Amino acid sequence: MSLALVLLIVVFVGLVLLDAPIAVALGLSSMFYLLIADAAPMMVVAQRAVAGINSFTLLAIPLFLLAGLLMVHGGLAPRIIALCSALIGRRTGGLAMVMIIACMMFGSLSGSGVADVVAIGTMMLPAMKDQGYAPGFSASALGCAGSLGTVIPPSIVLIVYGTATNSSIGQLFVAAILPGILLGLGLILVAWWISRRHGWQGGEPFSWGELGRAAKGSILAMLAPIIIVGGIRLGIFTPTEAAGIGVAYALFIGVFVYRALSLSTLMRLLRETTEMTGVILLVIASASVFGWILAAEQVPQMAVNGITQTTESGTVALLMMMAVLLILGTFMESIAIILILAPVFLPILGHYGIDPVYFGILLTINLAIGANTPPLGIDLMAACRVGEIPLSASFKYLMPFLGVMVGVLLLLVLFPALITELPGILF
């Protein structure tokens, strides 16, 4: 390992610890490396940054972000919550279960964990507080359930991973369905167990009539993920085109059916989409330069040699990579982790014959756990912000939720067919 590479890592870690934005940490450390190593002119920074975001597939990111916002403000999200509430009724932990199921359903519309948290939390947390649920419990459940939006298709994280590894995004979307359901069921079980201990209940008593009305009202909302994922699977359109279809569908429903979107609201949502897209693309551009340097320094080859000399078992190698990702997920942003480590891990996957699509789902679940693990824990922080409580108030209830997510991750490592079987049937 060269001195310049050591300094690159030291500067990057130092900037992250100083709480610099991850894009700034990646960019400045890369520029520092080029100055010290004198390996290439500084023009390379601009060239690699542009090359990193020059991808048609990445156009799906702003489109899915906009589609999610349109569905929230266009009246689709409240109808999803109404359906979940009618399904659960007044069961033990009913409101918590409603919130988790609603996050799963809305995750199939938004593709973003934070969007999931804000959209569902804004409507559910006040109702849970009125029913006596502890705010810390509600925030913990919301943060972990909201992170399912990064797993359940159409996931922006899966789009970035597919782009970075040249994996089929359609296969990634299909492979994520069953793991996303398993994670949701695990979180529901934990929510029921904690709620039973405290006597927390649901909303209105179950009624077949109410369920019928809610199901009828939510049909248009539930058609969206079927159109998006089904269209990709049938080869009708690409993931990027599917994102555009999602925007057109949400816009049509919000404007002409529910009449919930005004011109001023549309302009505000376009501005929010632009801001979020800018943040994501800046991280991708900076990580592209950083990743190019790692490749030039032969870091992927060093990683392959280090792990292959340690074990000949693919399962053990997977567990080692999962451990690294769990640690990094506590203080790094998900997209940066993918763009930095995916090129490093790909040769390792090839050595052990591990399917990149299978690994991508494990990676995404790992990042969903990291999104709720302090000190970063972006989804957990968003949930606490929505609930207007300090982050520390959620720690008391957080570990059981994180524990079941880690348990599902280990289950998928030990039984790969839970991920690979469905894509194998459909593709």
Side-chain angles (χ1 to χ4, degrees):
M1 184 180 293
S2 67
L3 175 61
L5 179 59
V6 173
L7 291 175
L8 169 78
I9 296 172
V10 169
V11 171
F12 171 70
V13 173
L15 288 170
V16 170
L17 293 177
L18 290 173
D19 204 25
I22 193 69
V24 173
L26 290 166
L28 287 181
S29 59
S30 299
M31 294 172 68
F32 182 79
Y33 169 88
L34 292 177
L35 287 172
I36 296 298
D38 195 24
M42 293 299 292
M43 181 62 71
V44 169
V45 174
Q47 293 173 340
R48 295 307 309 175
V50 172
I53 58 176
N54 186 22
S55 169
F56 176 73
T57 305
L58 292 179
L59 182 60
I61 293 176
L63 291 174
F64 274 127
L65 286 173
L66 178 58
L69 290 173
L70 289 172
M71 290 172 187
V72 172
H73 297 275
L76 280 77
R79 286 166 172 81
I80 290 175
I81 290 179
L83 173 62
C84 297
S85 182
L87 280 169
I88 298 299
R90 195 173 178 81
R91 298 177 183 273
T92 299
L95 285 183
M97 295 181 190
V98 167
M99 183 171 67
I100 294 169
I101 297 173
C103 283
M104 293 173 65
M105 291 184 176
F106 188 72
S108 67
L109 305 177
S110 70
S112 167
V114 173
D116 217 357
V117 167
V118 174
I120 303 302
T122 302
M123 292 176 275
M124 288 300 305
L125 291 189
M128 293 179 72
K129 186 176 181 180
D130 291 342
Q131 289 290 327
Y133 286 77
F137 165 81
S138 301
S140 297
L142 174 62
C144 292
S147 66
L148 298 182
T150 65
V151 179
I152 296 174
S155 162
I156 290 172
V157 169
L158 287 177
I159 293 172
V160 174
Y161 174 82
T163 304
T165 62
N166 291 320
S167 300
S168 166
I169 294 176
Q171 289 189 30
L172 285 167
F173 280 2
V174 172
I177 293 174
L178 182 56
I181 293 173
L182 290 175
L183 286 169
L185 292 176
L187 295 177
I188 288 172
L189 181 62
V190 171
W192 171 81
W193 174 64
I194 296 177
S195 298
R196 189 183 68 168
R197 293 173 55 196
H198 293 84
W200 296 325
Q201 297 295 321
E204 298 298 322
F206 178 82
S207 163
W208 283 107
E210 182 61 29
L211 177 59
R213 287 188 292 272
K216 182 179 179 180
S218 65
I219 288 175
L220 293 177
M222 300 315 300
L223 277 176
I226 296 174
I227 293 172
I228 292 171
V229 179
I232 294 172
R233 164 62 191 89
L234 295 175
I236 299 174
F237 34 68
T238 67
T240 304
E241 292 166 345
I245 295 294
V247 170
Y249 181 82
L251 190 61
F252 177 81
I253 298 300
V255 173
F256 297 105
V257 179
Y258 296 150
R259 301 182 184 277
L261 293 173
S262 63
L263 182 60
S264 60
T265 301
L266 287 174
M267 295 304 296
R268 178 170 58 85
L269 297 184
L270 287 171
R271 184 173 62 251
E272 290 180 17
T273 301
T274 303
E275 292 172 353
M276 290 188 290
T277 302
V279 172
I280 293 172
L281 292 183
L282 184 58
V283 172
I284 293 174
S286 300
S288 178
V289 183
F290 194 90
W292 175 79
I293 293 173
L294 294 182
E297 286 282 352
Q298 296 189 327
V299 172
Q301 290 86 340
M302 288 188 283
V304 171
N305 293 334
I307 291 184
T308 54
Q309 291 174 7
T310 302
T311 178
E312 288 299 322
S313 169
T315 301
V316 174
L318 268 178
L319 291 173
M320 292 172 65
M321 289 186 281
M322 291 299 104
V324 170
L325 290 168
L326 281 173
I327 294 170
L328 291 178
T330 63
F331 63 88
M332 280 184 64
E333 197 269 342
S334 297
I335 291 176
I337 291 176
I338 292 173
L339 295 173
I340 293 172
L341 290 185
V344 175
F345 285 160
L346 268 180
I348 301 174
L349 302 180
H351 176 83
Y352 290 102
I354 298 171
D355 183 1
V357 170
Y358 166 64
F359 179 76
I361 305 304
L362 297 179
L363 169 63
T364 305
I365 295 172
N366 209 308
L367 297 178
I369 296 170
N372 290 281
T373 309
L376 183 59
I378 186 170
D379 288 349
L380 182 63
M381 285 196 293
C384 290
R385 241 183 246 123
V386 172
E388 298 181 344
I389 65 170
L391 185 64
S392 57
S394 66
F395 293 166
K396 177 181 177 183
Y397 303 96
L398 183 61
M399 288 310 298
F401 289 108
L402 291 181
V404 77
M405 294 178 77
V406 172
V408 171
L409 177 64
L410 292 176
L411 180 69
L412 296 172
V413 169
L414 297 175
F415 299 97
L418 293 172
I419 295 176
T420 60
E421 190 69 24
L422 194 55
I425 294 173
L426 297 179
F427 285 89

mmCIF file of all heavy atoms in Angstrom, residues 169-202:
data_model
loop_
_atom_site.group_PDB
_atom_site.id
_atom_site.type_symbol
_atom_site.label_atom_id
_atom_site.label_comp_id
_atom_site.label_asym_id
_atom_site.label_seq_id
_atom_site.Cartn_x
_atom_site.Cartn_y
_atom_site.Cartn_z
ATOM 1 N N ILE A 169 -31.131 -4.558 -13.370
ATOM 2 C CA ILE A 169 -31.982 -3.892 -12.382
ATOM 3 C C ILE A 169 -33.324 -4.606 -12.277
ATOM 4 O O ILE A 169 -33.905 -4.697 -11.187
ATOM 5 C CB ILE A 169 -32.153 -2.405 -12.753
ATOM 6 C CG1 ILE A 169 -30.796 -1.694 -12.631
ATOM 7 C CG2 ILE A 169 -33.193 -1.733 -11.852
ATOM 8 C CD1 ILE A 169 -30.802 -0.257 -13.059
ATOM 9 N N GLY A 170 -33.809 -5.139 -13.374
ATOM 10 C CA GLY A 170 -35.049 -5.908 -13.324
ATOM 11 C C GLY A 170 -34.924 -7.117 -12.412
ATOM 12 O O GLY A 170 -35.807 -7.400 -11.597
ATOM 13 N N GLN A 171 -33.805 -7.856 -12.510
ATOM 14 C CA GLN A 171 -33.580 -9.004 -11.631
ATOM 15 C C GLN A 171 -33.412 -8.566 -10.181
ATOM 16 O O GLN A 171 -33.889 -9.242 -9.260
ATOM 17 C CB GLN A 171 -32.345 -9.774 -12.092
ATOM 18 C CG GLN A 171 -32.537 -10.531 -13.391
ATOM 19 C CD GLN A 171 -31.371 -11.449 -13.720
ATOM 20 O OE1 GLN A 171 -30.707 -11.961 -12.825
ATOM 21 N NE2 GLN A 171 -31.117 -11.643 -15.001
ATOM 22 N N LEU A 172 -32.736 -7.439 -9.969
ATOM 23 C CA LEU A 172 -32.585 -6.918 -8.601
ATOM 24 C C LEU A 172 -33.946 -6.591 -7.998
ATOM 25 O O LEU A 172 -34.211 -6.905 -6.826
ATOM 26 C CB LEU A 172 -31.695 -5.670 -8.616
ATOM 27 C CG LEU A 172 -30.195 -5.893 -8.809
ATOM 28 C CD1 LEU A 172 -29.490 -4.581 -9.122
ATOM 29 C CD2 LEU A 172 -29.578 -6.530 -7.563
ATOM 30 N N PHE A 173 -34.812 -5.963 -8.776
ATOM 31 C CA PHE A 173 -36.143 -5.607 -8.279
ATOM 32 C C PHE A 173 -36.924 -6.863 -7.878
ATOM 33 O O PHE A 173 -37.532 -6.915 -6.804
ATOM 34 C CB PHE A 173 -36.919 -4.839 -9.351
ATOM 35 C CG PHE A 173 -36.548 -3.375 -9.441
ATOM 36 C CD1 PHE A 173 -35.565 -2.831 -8.638
ATOM 37 C CD2 PHE A 173 -37.192 -2.537 -10.340
ATOM 38 C CE1 PHE A 173 -35.226 -1.487 -8.723
ATOM 39 C CE2 PHE A 173 -36.873 -1.194 -10.424
ATOM 40 C CZ PHE A 173 -35.888 -0.667 -9.620
ATOM 41 N N VAL A 174 -36.912 -7.867 -8.739
ATOM 42 C CA VAL A 174 -37.656 -9.097 -8.446
ATOM 43 C C VAL A 174 -37.038 -9.824 -7.255
ATOM 44 O O VAL A 174 -37.757 -10.329 -6.372
ATOM 45 C CB VAL A 174 -37.690 -10.010 -9.688
ATOM 46 C CG1 VAL A 174 -38.277 -11.371 -9.341
ATOM 47 C CG2 VAL A 174 -38.503 -9.355 -10.804
ATOM 48 N N ALA A 175 -35.705 -9.876 -7.189
ATOM 49 C CA ALA A 175 -35.022 -10.578 -6.096
ATOM 50 C C ALA A 175 -35.291 -9.937 -4.746
ATOM 51 O O ALA A 175 -35.233 -10.605 -3.707
ATOM 52 C CB ALA A 175 -33.514 -10.607 -6.362
ATOM 53 N N ALA A 176 -35.608 -8.644 -4.728
ATOM 54 C CA ALA A 176 -35.804 -7.925 -3.459
ATOM 55 C C ALA A 176 -37.198 -8.111 -2.874
ATOM 56 O O ALA A 176 -37.429 -7.753 -1.712
ATOM 57 C CB ALA A 176 -35.530 -6.437 -3.666
ATOM 58 N N ILE A 177 -38.127 -8.677 -3.631
ATOM 59 C CA ILE A 177 -39.516 -8.741 -3.166
ATOM 60 C C ILE A 177 -39.650 -9.602 -1.915
ATOM 61 O O ILE A 177 -40.182 -9.147 -0.884
ATOM 62 C CB ILE A 177 -40.424 -9.267 -4.300
ATOM 63 C CG1 ILE A 177 -40.480 -8.255 -5.445
ATOM 64 C CG2 ILE A 177 -41.831 -9.546 -3.763
ATOM 65 C CD1 ILE A 177 -41.241 -8.755 -6.667
ATOM 66 N N LEU A 178 -39.194 -10.851 -1.963
ATOM 67 C CA LEU A 178 -39.346 -11.753 -0.819
ATOM 68 C C LEU A 178 -38.538 -11.282 0.394
ATOM 69 O O LEU A 178 -39.075 -11.274 1.522
ATOM 70 C CB LEU A 178 -38.954 -13.178 -1.212
ATOM 71 C CG LEU A 178 -39.114 -14.237 -0.122
ATOM 72 C CD1 LEU A 178 -40.540 -14.254 0.411
ATOM 73 C CD2 LEU A 178 -38.723 -15.619 -0.644
ATOM 74 N N PRO A 179 -37.270 -10.869 0.251
ATOM 75 C CA PRO A 179 -36.552 -10.335 1.406
ATOM 76 C C PRO A 179 -37.248 -9.128 2.023
ATOM 77 O O PRO A 179 -37.271 -8.986 3.255
ATOM 78 C CB PRO A 179 -35.185 -9.946 0.823
ATOM 79 C CG PRO A 179 -35.004 -10.868 -0.333
ATOM 80 C CD PRO A 179 -36.369 -11.039 -0.913
ATOM 81 N N GLY A 180 -37.819 -8.262 1.196
ATOM 82 C CA GLY A 180 -38.541 -7.111 1.738
ATOM 83 C C GLY A 180 -39.742 -7.536 2.567
ATOM 84 O O GLY A 180 -40.016 -6.961 3.627
ATOM 85 N N ILE A 181 -40.451 -8.558 2.095
ATOM 86 C CA ILE A 181 -41.610 -9.074 2.847
ATOM 87 C C ILE A 181 -41.152 -9.707 4.158
ATOM 88 O O ILE A 181 -41.777 -9.502 5.210
ATOM 89 C CB ILE A 181 -42.386 -10.081 1.988
ATOM 90 C CG1 ILE A 181 -43.036 -9.370 0.794
ATOM 91 C CG2 ILE A 181 -43.449 -10.798 2.822
ATOM 92 C CD1 ILE A 181 -43.684 -10.301 -0.212
ATOM 93 N N LEU A 182 -40.058 -10.480 4.123
ATOM 94 C CA LEU A 182 -39.533 -11.107 5.349
ATOM 95 C C LEU A 182 -39.135 -10.053 6.375
ATOM 96 O O LEU A 182 -39.415 -10.198 7.575
ATOM 97 C CB LEU A 182 -38.334 -11.991 5.009
ATOM 98 C CG LEU A 182 -38.628 -13.286 4.235
ATOM 99 C CD1 LEU A 182 -37.332 -13.987 3.868
ATOM 100 C CD2 LEU A 182 -39.512 -14.214 5.070
ATOM 101 N N LEU A 183 -38.485 -8.988 5.916
ATOM 102 C CA LEU A 183 -38.115 -7.905 6.835
ATOM 103 C C LEU A 183 -39.355 -7.263 7.446
ATOM 104 O O LEU A 183 -39.402 -6.999 8.651
ATOM 105 C CB LEU A 183 -37.292 -6.847 6.096
ATOM 106 C CG LEU A 183 -35.843 -7.204 5.763
ATOM 107 C CD1 LEU A 183 -35.254 -6.181 4.799
ATOM 108 C CD2 LEU A 183 -34.998 -7.273 7.035
ATOM 109 N N GLY A 184 -40.362 -7.018 6.620
ATOM 110 C CA GLY A 184 -41.592 -6.416 7.130
ATOM 111 C C GLY A 184 -42.282 -7.292 8.156
ATOM 112 O O GLY A 184 -42.744 -6.809 9.203
ATOM 113 N N LEU A 185 -42.355 -8.595 7.891
ATOM 114 C CA LEU A 185 -42.977 -9.516 8.842
ATOM 115 C C LEU A 185 -42.202 -9.556 10.159
ATOM 116 O O LEU A 185 -42.795 -9.621 11.245
ATOM 117 C CB LEU A 185 -43.054 -10.919 8.233
ATOM 118 C CG LEU A 185 -44.016 -11.093 7.054
ATOM 119 C CD1 LEU A 185 -43.920 -12.499 6.475
ATOM 120 C CD2 LEU A 185 -45.453 -10.794 7.484
ATOM 121 N N GLY A 186 -40.865 -9.527 10.066
ATOM 122 C CA GLY A 186 -40.052 -9.508 11.280
ATOM 123 C C GLY A 186 -40.307 -8.266 12.119
ATOM 124 O O GLY A 186 -40.438 -8.340 13.349
ATOM 125 N N LEU A 187 -40.399 -7.111 11.467
ATOM 126 C CA LEU A 187 -40.670 -5.863 12.187
ATOM 127 C C LEU A 187 -42.066 -5.867 12.796
ATOM 128 O O LEU A 187 -42.277 -5.366 13.916
ATOM 129 C CB LEU A 187 -40.516 -4.671 11.234
ATOM 130 C CG LEU A 187 -39.111 -4.417 10.691
ATOM 131 C CD1 LEU A 187 -39.126 -3.257 9.697
ATOM 132 C CD2 LEU A 187 -38.129 -4.130 11.823
ATOM 133 N N ILE A 188 -43.045 -6.443 12.088
ATOM 134 C CA ILE A 188 -44.404 -6.546 12.631
ATOM 135 C C ILE A 188 -44.411 -7.420 13.887
ATOM 136 O O ILE A 188 -45.076 -7.090 14.880
ATOM 137 C CB ILE A 188 -45.353 -7.131 11.563
ATOM 138 C CG1 ILE A 188 -45.598 -6.093 10.464
ATOM 139 C CG2 ILE A 188 -46.675 -7.574 12.185
ATOM 140 C CD1 ILE A 188 -46.353 -6.624 9.272
ATOM 141 N N LEU A 189 -43.664 -8.516 13.865
ATOM 142 C CA LEU A 189 -43.597 -9.398 15.027
ATOM 143 C C LEU A 189 -43.016 -8.674 16.237
ATOM 144 O O LEU A 189 -43.533 -8.789 17.359
ATOM 145 C CB LEU A 189 -42.749 -10.634 14.687
ATOM 146 C CG LEU A 189 -42.597 -11.684 15.787
ATOM 147 C CD1 LEU A 189 -43.953 -12.267 16.143
ATOM 148 C CD2 LEU A 189 -41.642 -12.793 15.349
ATOM 149 N N VAL A 190 -41.947 -7.907 16.019
ATOM 150 C CA VAL A 190 -41.340 -7.154 17.119
ATOM 151 C C VAL A 190 -42.311 -6.104 17.638
ATOM 152 O O VAL A 190 -42.461 -5.915 18.856
ATOM 153 C CB VAL A 190 -40.025 -6.495 16.656
ATOM 154 C CG1 VAL A 190 -39.492 -5.541 17.716
ATOM 155 C CG2 VAL A 190 -38.978 -7.554 16.341
ATOM 156 N N ALA A 191 -42.982 -5.396 16.724
ATOM 157 C CA ALA A 191 -43.934 -4.358 17.138
ATOM 158 C C ALA A 191 -45.067 -4.961 17.962
ATOM 159 O O ALA A 191 -45.497 -4.380 18.976
ATOM 160 C CB ALA A 191 -44.495 -3.651 15.902
ATOM 161 N N TRP A 192 -45.577 -6.123 17.543
ATOM 162 C CA TRP A 192 -46.643 -6.789 18.311
ATOM 163 C C TRP A 192 -46.151 -7.196 19.690
ATOM 164 O O TRP A 192 -46.860 -7.023 20.697
ATOM 165 C CB TRP A 192 -47.113 -8.018 17.542
ATOM 166 C CG TRP A 192 -48.048 -8.886 18.334
ATOM 167 C CD1 TRP A 192 -49.379 -8.705 18.515
ATOM 168 C CD2 TRP A 192 -47.692 -10.055 19.091
ATOM 169 N NE1 TRP A 192 -49.899 -9.679 19.328
ATOM 170 C CE2 TRP A 192 -48.876 -10.529 19.711
ATOM 171 C CE3 TRP A 192 -46.506 -10.734 19.305
ATOM 172 C CZ2 TRP A 192 -48.886 -11.659 20.520
ATOM 173 C CZ3 TRP A 192 -46.521 -11.860 20.107
ATOM 174 C CH2 TRP A 192 -47.695 -12.319 20.704
ATOM 175 N N TRP A 193 -44.942 -7.748 19.765
ATOM 176 C CA TRP A 193 -44.387 -8.216 21.037
ATOM 177 C C TRP A 193 -44.214 -7.063 22.028
ATOM 178 O O TRP A 193 -44.610 -7.167 23.201
ATOM 179 C CB TRP A 193 -43.045 -8.903 20.765
ATOM 180 C CG TRP A 193 -42.301 -9.311 22.004
ATOM 181 C CD1 TRP A 193 -42.687 -10.214 22.938
ATOM 182 C CD2 TRP A 193 -41.031 -8.807 22.449
ATOM 183 N NE1 TRP A 193 -41.736 -10.312 23.932
ATOM 184 C CE2 TRP A 193 -40.714 -9.460 23.647
ATOM 185 C CE3 TRP A 193 -40.139 -7.883 21.916
ATOM 186 C CZ2 TRP A 193 -39.542 -9.200 24.356
ATOM 187 C CZ3 TRP A 193 -38.963 -7.620 22.613
ATOM 188 C CH2 TRP A 193 -38.684 -8.281 23.818
ATOM 189 N N ILE A 194 -43.651 -5.949 21.568
ATOM 190 C CA ILE A 194 -43.449 -4.798 22.458
ATOM 191 C C ILE A 194 -44.795 -4.185 22.833
ATOM 192 O O ILE A 194 -45.018 -3.808 23.997
ATOM 193 C CB ILE A 194 -42.538 -3.753 21.790
ATOM 194 C CG1 ILE A 194 -41.135 -4.330 21.565
ATOM 195 C CG2 ILE A 194 -42.456 -2.484 22.645
ATOM 196 C CD1 ILE A 194 -40.187 -3.388 20.838
ATOM 197 N N SER A 195 -45.704 -4.095 21.866
ATOM 198 C CA SER A 195 -47.015 -3.496 22.136
ATOM 199 C C SER A 195 -47.814 -4.322 23.137
ATOM 200 O O SER A 195 -48.544 -3.768 23.975
ATOM 201 C CB SER A 195 -47.811 -3.356 20.827
ATOM 202 O OG SER A 195 -47.156 -2.496 19.933
ATOM 203 N N ARG A 196 -47.700 -5.644 23.069
ATOM 204 C CA ARG A 196 -48.423 -6.498 24.005
ATOM 205 C C ARG A 196 -47.963 -6.248 25.429
ATOM 206 O O ARG A 196 -48.775 -6.249 26.375
ATOM 207 C CB ARG A 196 -48.217 -7.968 23.632
ATOM 208 C CG ARG A 196 -49.102 -8.923 24.427
ATOM 209 C CD ARG A 196 -48.826 -10.357 24.092
ATOM 210 N NE ARG A 196 -47.502 -10.777 24.545
ATOM 211 C CZ ARG A 196 -47.086 -12.044 24.583
ATOM 212 N NH1 ARG A 196 -47.889 -13.010 24.171
ATOM 213 N NH2 ARG A 196 -45.884 -12.351 25.007
ATOM 214 N N ARG A 197 -46.667 -6.014 25.609
ATOM 215 C CA ARG A 197 -46.133 -5.755 26.949
ATOM 216 C C ARG A 197 -46.661 -4.446 27.525
ATOM 217 O O ARG A 197 -46.767 -4.300 28.743
ATOM 218 C CB ARG A 197 -44.601 -5.716 26.901
ATOM 219 C CG ARG A 197 -43.974 -7.072 26.561
ATOM 220 C CD ARG A 197 -42.482 -6.931 26.352
ATOM 221 N NE ARG A 197 -41.832 -6.319 27.494
ATOM 222 C CZ ARG A 197 -40.608 -5.802 27.477
ATOM 223 N NH1 ARG A 197 -39.922 -5.805 26.338
ATOM 224 N NH2 ARG A 197 -40.086 -5.282 28.566
ATOM 225 N N HIS A 198 -46.979 -3.485 26.646
ATOM 226 C CA HIS A 198 -47.419 -2.175 27.119
ATOM 227 C C HIS A 198 -48.920 -1.945 26.949
ATOM 228 O O HIS A 198 -49.433 -0.905 27.359
ATOM 229 C CB HIS A 198 -46.659 -1.067 26.374
ATOM 230 C CG HIS A 198 -45.190 -1.028 26.682
ATOM 231 N ND1 HIS A 198 -44.263 -1.825 26.034
ATOM 232 C CD2 HIS A 198 -44.490 -0.284 27.575
ATOM 233 C CE1 HIS A 198 -43.056 -1.568 26.511
ATOM 234 N NE2 HIS A 198 -43.161 -0.647 27.443
ATOM 235 N N GLY A 199 -49.604 -2.904 26.329
ATOM 236 C CA GLY A 199 -51.053 -2.762 26.171
ATOM 237 C C GLY A 199 -51.475 -1.775 25.117
ATOM 238 O O GLY A 199 -52.582 -1.221 25.188
ATOM 239 N N TRP A 200 -50.631 -1.552 24.117
ATOM 240 C CA TRP A 200 -50.975 -0.611 23.046
ATOM 241 C C TRP A 200 -51.864 -1.305 22.028
ATOM 242 O O TRP A 200 -51.577 -2.408 21.575
ATOM 243 C CB TRP A 200 -49.716 -0.076 22.371
ATOM 244 C CG TRP A 200 -48.855 0.734 23.296
ATOM 245 C CD1 TRP A 200 -49.274 1.552 24.299
ATOM 246 C CD2 TRP A 200 -47.426 0.795 23.309
ATOM 247 N NE1 TRP A 200 -48.204 2.130 24.941
ATOM 248 C CE2 TRP A 200 -47.039 1.682 24.345
ATOM 249 C CE3 TRP A 200 -46.411 0.208 22.546
ATOM 250 C CZ2 TRP A 200 -45.723 1.975 24.637
ATOM 251 C CZ3 TRP A 200 -45.097 0.502 22.829
ATOM 252 C CH2 TRP A 200 -44.755 1.382 23.858
ATOM 253 N N GLN A 201 -52.937 -0.628 21.615
ATOM 254 C CA GLN A 201 -53.927 -1.220 20.724
ATOM 255 C C GLN A 201 -53.898 -0.568 19.344
ATOM 256 O O GLN A 201 -53.027 0.250 19.036
ATOM 257 C CB GLN A 201 -55.332 -1.082 21.338
ATOM 258 C CG GLN A 201 -55.501 -1.823 22.641
ATOM 259 C CD GLN A 201 -55.391 -3.328 22.491
ATOM 260 O OE1 GLN A 201 -55.863 -3.911 21.521
ATOM 261 N NE2 GLN A 201 -54.740 -3.977 23.443
ATOM 262 N N GLY A 202 -54.887 -0.916 18.532
ATOM 263 C CA GLY A 202 -55.005 -0.377 17.186
ATOM 264 C C GLY A 202 -56.009 0.740 17.117
ATOM 265 O O GLY A 202 -56.239 1.460 18.092
#
